[in-house]
Amino acid sequence: QLQLVESGGGLVQPGGSLRLSCVASGFSLDYYVIGWFRQVPGKEREGVSCISESGASKEYADSAKGRFFISRDNHKNTVYLQMNDLKPEDTGVYYCAADRFTWGLDGAEYDYWGQGIQVTVSS
């Protein structure tokens, strides 16, 4: 089974930081592009960031540039999203997704998805 599990979410004050983790099981993450997406009720799903198989290439949504940083440790079968200077508009359910043969922030291109984890930025 191809399974992705997110962790590291929660409640944080504006200006704070969180690090999300996405751990893969049932397959090796080495060969997969990984994307992070977020969903807010009443708003379309938004691609946040993605990272290539080796970690050499990274892409960020404009809203994330300079604040969010994606990385991966293939030996741990894990991808991270470091989120700094968090803002209330960053609130949402964050999903990681994987695909072998894609690139970018279009969620329709990804085959495998985690269940999501809540991130709430509030005073």
Side-chain angles (χ1 to χ4, degrees):
Q1 291 183 318
L2 306 178
Q3 187 172 351
L4 301 168
V5 179
E6 302 94 339
S7 63
L11 175 64
V12 66
Q13 293 183 338
S17 297
L18 288 172
R19 189 180 74 162
L20 303 183
S21 298
C22 175
V23 180
S25 61
F27 66 104
S28 175
L29 215 53
D30 302 42
Y31 308 106
Y32 288 82
V33 172
I34 304 296
W36 284 97
F37 301 82
R38 66 187 172 201
Q39 180 73 59
V40 179
K43 185 179 178 181
E44 293 186 0
R45 182 179 59 198
E46 177 186 18
V48 177
S49 184
C50 62
I51 188 168
S52 63
E53 297 92 328
S54 68
S57 298
K58 304 170 184 179
E59 184 174 339
Y60 299 94
D62 288 342
S63 62
K65 290 178 180 177
R67 299 189 299 123
F68 291 9
F69 301 92
I70 193 169
S71 62
R72 68 191 299 160
D73 185 343
N74 287 344
H75 293 291
K76 296 182 178 179
N77 232 24
T78 301
V79 174
Y80 305 97
L81 184 67
Q82 178 68 42
M83 304 187 295
N84 300 320
D85 192 24
L86 283 161
K87 305 176 184 296
E89 52 264 40
D90 295 319
T91 294
V93 177
Y94 282 70
Y95 300 86
C96 63
D99 199 271
R100 277 199 175 209
F101 307 109
T102 193
W103 181 250
L105 303 180
D106 181 1
E109 299 293 329
Y110 291 79
D111 288 337
Y112 308 106
W113 292 78
Q115 292 298 114
I117 190 165
Q118 180 70 40
V119 171
T120 302
V121 184
S122 176
S123 298

